[in-house]
Amino acid sequence: MLARTADSLFWFARYMERADFVARIVNTTRRLESLPSGESNVANEWEAALSAVGVLEAYEAAHDKVEPNTAIEFLLFDARNPSSIVNCIESGRVNARAVRTALTIETWQTINEGWQEMKKVQAKHQARGLGTEELVAFLDLAMKLALDVDGSAYRTMLRNDAYWFSRLGLYVERADNTARILDVKYNILLPESEHVGGSLDYFQWNAILRAVSAVTSYHWIYRDGVKPWLIADLLILRPEMPRSLLACYGEIVRFLDDISGAYGRQGAAQRRARQILGRLENATMKDVFSTGLHEFLTDFIEDNNSIGGAIAEQYLLD
């Protein structure tokens, strides 16, 4: 496979996963924003949303202060934000179109039809803006598109290097997103006037679980009320939770091994991924909290970025 083909497949999957994540973050923040007066710090919540997506600095360069309407506009439609939903879907389609012969007809049609629907919404937004119901419908469209692309690829693509590179992109992006949303909750979202375990803290943690579709999973595994350390355990170390860091790295190692087996050699990407997986497999929540959750997650995000770089250097660069 040509390096540019592998690169397009990798980034096609990353952009679709990122569009889904941004839509989930906006949905979650809107839910927190609707809490009764006195239990919600609106600016803080939208700052947390921008930080979780990794675009807070870009937003602050474009706007004087964080406000709900401008934050939503920046996260959904702003051309200056490479991680806006519109830009993610556009970039995902551009990469998919570049490798149409490596995708199945069903997968291409799914992304192309979703892109066409997105363009209609974008045109309507530019002409007159979107009402609340239309905004919610657009967020649902982005999440459904990512789900449909994922499902069509899983059900129809041949298990070869095209599939493996797209899966690598998905899981590298998903691991980054999970780590960021956990780190933001611990370090930005809860106002200083509130205390851990208070009512705002409880609602925020429930919102985080909803953002990663983990409410049912949490109660199924722990049979307990919402506790921050159990949520951290679920999203970091539980292999049965598909968005956990451990689960993501299990998949990353698996697909890197599939690629190395097909190509007959291994490299830095495989070695580095196994090191990260080994640390996660041997970690306990006691270890994580003794190190400091923020420090643990910051180190993980840096390690995850290094995996993306190692994959690019080994396979995606001509």
Side-chain angles (χ1 to χ4, degrees):
M1 175 176 286
L2 294 174
R4 63 177 176 270
T5 301
D7 184 70
S8 291
L9 287 162
F10 181 83
W11 281 102
F12 157 60
R14 284 201 73 161
Y15 278 122
M16 298 314 301
E17 183 70 13
R18 190 175 301 175
D20 173 75
F21 178 69
V22 176
R24 289 170 179 269
I25 286 294
V26 174
N27 254 340
T28 299
T29 307
R30 291 183 68 253
R31 189 176 293 115
L32 288 170
E33 187 183 17
S34 68
L35 291 175
S37 179
E39 289 199 29
S40 176
N41 184 325
V42 174
N44 203 50
E45 287 156 6
W46 285 106
E47 180 184 344
L50 293 162
S51 182
V53 178
V55 297
L56 181 58
E57 289 186 6
Y59 177 91
E60 291 175 337
H63 299 281
D64 294 331
K65 61 180 180 178
V66 177
E67 295 179 322
N69 289 339
T70 52
I72 290 173
E73 171 73 19
F74 193 76
L75 289 168
L76 269 61
F77 298 107
D78 202 315
R80 295 168 294 181
N81 174 16
S83 293
S84 70
I85 293 176
V86 164
N87 277 342
C88 284
I89 295 175
E90 183 74 41
S91 298
R93 181 183 179 270
V94 167
N95 280 282
R97 185 177 59 185
V99 291
R100 282 185 62 175
T101 56
L103 300 174
T104 59
I105 294 173
E106 291 81 2
T107 301
W108 165 250
Q109 287 179 337
T110 299
I111 176 61
N112 193 51
E113 290 170 3
W115 173 80
Q116 290 171 347
E117 289 299 314
M118 181 269 289
K119 297 301 283 187
K120 293 177 184 177
V121 176
Q122 188 179 21
K124 188 181 297 184
H125 168 260
Q126 291 172 345
R128 60 169 178 80
L130 299 181
T132 301
E133 291 185 2
E134 292 170 317
L135 173 64
V136 172
F138 179 61
L139 295 174
D140 289 342
L141 168 68
M143 290 186 286
K144 184 178 185 300
L145 176 58
L147 184 64
D148 289 347
V149 168
D150 190 18
S152 66
Y154 180 80
R155 289 173 66 92
T156 65
M157 285 185 69
L158 191 67
R159 269 38 176 184
N160 60 6
D161 44 5
Y163 181 77
W164 299 331
F165 278 115
S166 69
R167 295 292 94 178
L168 278 179
L170 184 150
Y171 285 108
V172 168
E173 183 68 29
R174 184 174 292 179
D176 180 79
N177 294 341
T178 298
R180 286 180 181 277
I181 198 170
L182 262 179
D183 194 36
V184 163
K185 175 61 188 80
Y186 265 92
N187 292 280
I188 296 179
L189 198 54
L190 189 69
E192 292 181 2
S193 59
E194 295 287 337
H195 65 278
V196 174
S199 59
L200 178 57
D201 193 43
Y202 173 83
F203 283 120
Q204 287 176 348
W205 278 116
N206 266 287
I208 296 303
L209 286 174
R210 290 182 183 279
V212 293
S213 298
V215 174
T216 300
S217 299
Y218 176 88
H219 292 294
W220 184 270
I221 291 174
Y222 300 106
R223 311 285 181 176
D224 203 343
V226 174
K227 293 182 171 59
W229 54 91
L230 294 181
I231 294 176
D233 179 63
L234 178 71
L235 296 181
I236 295 174
L237 300 180
R238 298 299 298 215
E240 62 270 54
M241 175 60 196
R243 290 183 180 272
S244 75
L245 306 186
L246 179 57
C248 288
Y249 263 82
E251 295 298 314
I252 290 169
V253 168
R254 174 184 147 202
F255 291 121
L256 280 171
D257 285 346
D258 286 338
I259 292 169
S260 67
Y263 290 1
R265 61 184 183 278
Q266 296 195 3
Q270 282 82 8
R271 292 190 293 272
R272 189 78 182 111
R274 281 196 291 268
Q275 289 173 354
I276 297 172
L277 177 61
R279 285 205 299 271
L280 290 169
E281 286 176 331
N282 293 320
T284 65
M285 288 313 299
K286 182 178 180 180
D287 297 332
V288 171
F289 279 104
S290 65
T291 302
L293 184 63
H294 173 66
E295 290 73 17
F296 176 88
L297 293 170
T298 299
D299 289 345
F300 176 85
I301 290 169
E302 291 178 359
D303 287 342
N304 194 58
N305 288 338
S306 74
I307 281 293
I311 293 170
E313 184 174 347
Q314 193 168 327
Y315 294 114
L316 310 182
L317 302 178
D318 289 326

